[in-house]
Amino acid sequence: MRQNTRFAVWAASGLLALTSLTACADDAAATASAGGAKGDGKGTKVKIMVGGLDKVIYLPAMLTQRLGYFDAEGLDVELLSEPAGVQAETALVSGQVQGAVGFYDHTLDLQVKGKSVESVVQFSHAPGEVEIVSARAADDVTSPKDFRGRKLGITGLGSSTDFLTRYLAVKNGVGVSEFTPVAVGAGPTFISALRKGAIDAGMTTDPTVATILDKKAGTVLIDMRTPEGSREALGGPYPSSSLYMQTDWVNSHKDTVRKLARACVKTLNWMSTHSASEIADKMPADYSQGDKALYEEAVKSTLPMFTKDGVMPQGGPETVEKVLKAFNPTIKNAEVDLSRTYTTEFVEKAAG
């Protein structure tokens, strides 16, 4: 009985949160301008779109704000949210916001499309993603080789979960046209799709993973929440969640970017010296969606993915390029200048 009640609370809270976050994103689209932050100094306004503020993989963004590190740098940071990283990317390149928190792989994808975007703080060295198989399909889907003919959940088409799902399929001999990607978002919408059979398996993150396992609605097929899991599944470190910005904006607002980097690196360092319980205590109360213990478990499971200094992991960009080239013909046939997809200038100064 307690479990049923807990799931209902999670579902209701999650749906309300998703509605609220989407509304915030719509407000950003209506009011933000391409100019954004004007000048550097105390009270500098910066809008950052996050590909799901309540996702644990993007936790450093909200935690930096909750710890007061943005304020300490004289920054007025407004965090907005979209359900998927690809939508955060769209908000950035259209000039609605000055920064995006999403997967680093979007910087490569955008470069071949003629957009110059770079990661300025690398939050992670592993994807933090988990491929979950529904309880009803667990006996039939025991590896990515069984993806053929299946409906596989992703947050959105063109999202990083879409990219990684395609790579795992191709790597295991399944063509991208031999399975059906289904955009189901995360949280309650993902869980509902899994339980109702709308998807046989799917890629998602915590706290969705923790909820599914708690409800025994699915099982873990591939766990990429740790560097070890990333190497096993993808062949190397896979830098994922990051703060990325348009290169022209970075170059014309270096003092602001330096302050942003310094605030974020302080947070990553703080995370490395505090427990999952202490981290969870700092987050908005509604992020636990009625079950604080389960939320702490979700944070603990995901913590290994984060860097301590915001620096791009050695070999990480090459792993991401290899993954994208495996299934994306546009990138496969293009010359990608990895040096233009990230910068360590600001995080190295922050660490120093």
Side-chain angles (χ1 to χ4, degrees):
M1 183 69 174
R2 189 184 73 85
Q3 288 186 334
N4 290 337
T5 301
R6 176 160 63 187
F7 180 76
V9 172
W10 271 74
S13 299
L15 287 171
L16 287 172
L18 182 60
T19 302
S20 175
L21 294 176
T22 303
C24 288
D26 290 341
D27 289 344
T31 61
S33 67
K38 296 181 180 179
D40 295 328
K42 188 174 179 62
T44 300
K45 177 74 173 182
V46 182
K47 293 192 178 194
I48 298 175
M49 185 69 77
V50 184
L53 262 174
D54 55 350
K55 294 178 184 177
V56 179
I57 58 171
Y58 299 141
L59 178 150
M62 178 58 76
L63 183 57
T64 303
Q65 189 172 77
R66 301 284 288 189
L67 290 171
Y69 291 157
F70 288 137
D71 288 343
E73 294 292 338
L75 298 172
D76 178 12
V77 174
E78 182 178 2
L79 296 176
L80 304 166
S81 186
E82 281 283 10
V86 66
Q87 293 161 320
E89 167 198 303
T90 301
L92 177 69
V93 298
S94 65
Q96 297 172 25
V97 296
Q98 291 75 54
V101 172
F103 269 38
Y104 161 73
D105 54 21
H106 291 296
T107 67
L108 281 71
D109 187 49
L110 287 168
Q111 186 183 115
V112 301
K113 295 175 181 176
K115 304 291 184 181
S116 185
V117 172
E118 60 188 20
S119 166
V120 296
V121 182
Q122 194 58 51
F123 293 146
S124 62
H125 47 191
E129 301 283 353
V130 177
E131 184 71 21
I132 292 276
V133 180
S134 71
R136 72 180 69 193
D139 292 337
D140 300 318
V141 182
T142 59
S143 85
K145 294 178 182 178
D146 300 320
F147 283 176
R148 186 174 287 106
R150 298 290 176 175
K151 294 172 290 184
L152 304 178
I154 56 175
T155 54
L157 296 175
S159 67
S160 296
T161 54
D162 188 9
F163 292 163
L164 288 171
T165 300
R166 289 170 185 263
Y167 174 73
L168 292 173
V170 170
K171 179 187 176 185
N172 288 275
V174 180
V176 295
S177 63
E178 295 183 290
F179 67 90
T180 304
V182 183
V184 292
T189 53
F190 184 100
I191 296 168
S192 176
L194 196 73
R195 291 168 68 92
K196 292 179 178 179
I199 57 175
D200 301 301
M203 191 170 293
T204 191
T205 61
D206 278 311
T208 307
V209 174
T211 309
I212 291 170
L213 297 181
D214 182 63
K215 294 301 301 175
K216 296 180 172 53
T219 58
V220 173
L221 181 66
I222 299 171
D223 192 339
M224 296 178 286
R225 289 176 291 188
T226 67
E228 295 77 17
S230 176
R231 283 194 293 270
E232 183 178 350
L234 306 173
Y238 197 92
S240 57
S241 58
S242 65
L243 171 62
Y244 62 88
M245 315 180 90
Q246 297 202 60
T247 301
D248 286 346
W249 199 91
V250 171
N251 291 337
S252 60
H253 297 78
K254 286 201 169 188
D255 190 50
T256 297
V257 179
R258 188 175 300 112
K259 292 174 181 177
L260 286 167
R262 192 156 52 218
C264 291
V265 170
K266 284 181 183 177
T267 297
L268 292 169
N269 184 261
W270 188 92
M271 290 170 61
S272 72
T273 59
H274 289 75
S275 68
S277 176
E278 291 171 317
I279 293 170
D281 284 343
K282 291 291 184 181
M283 302 305 289
D286 61 341
Y287 280 22
S288 65
Q289 298 183 0
D291 194 325
K292 188 176 180 181
L294 195 60
Y295 182 68
E296 288 178 7
E297 180 183 331
V299 172
K300 183 177 180 180
S301 297
T302 307
L303 275 179
M305 74 174 282
F306 295 110
T307 67
K308 297 179 181 180
D309 53 13
V311 175
M312 176 66 70
Q314 187 173 6
E318 289 77 11
T319 303
V320 173
E321 183 181 28
K322 178 198 71 174
V323 166
L324 296 182
K325 281 183 177 292
F327 67 86
N328 188 323
T330 303
I331 293 181
K332 184 176 183 178
N333 301 318
E335 288 293 329
V336 179
D337 184 350
L338 294 176
S339 68
R340 291 172 46 218
T341 61
Y342 70 97
T343 176
T344 60
E345 173 188 351
F346 303 99
V347 292
E348 287 176 349
K349 288 181 179 179

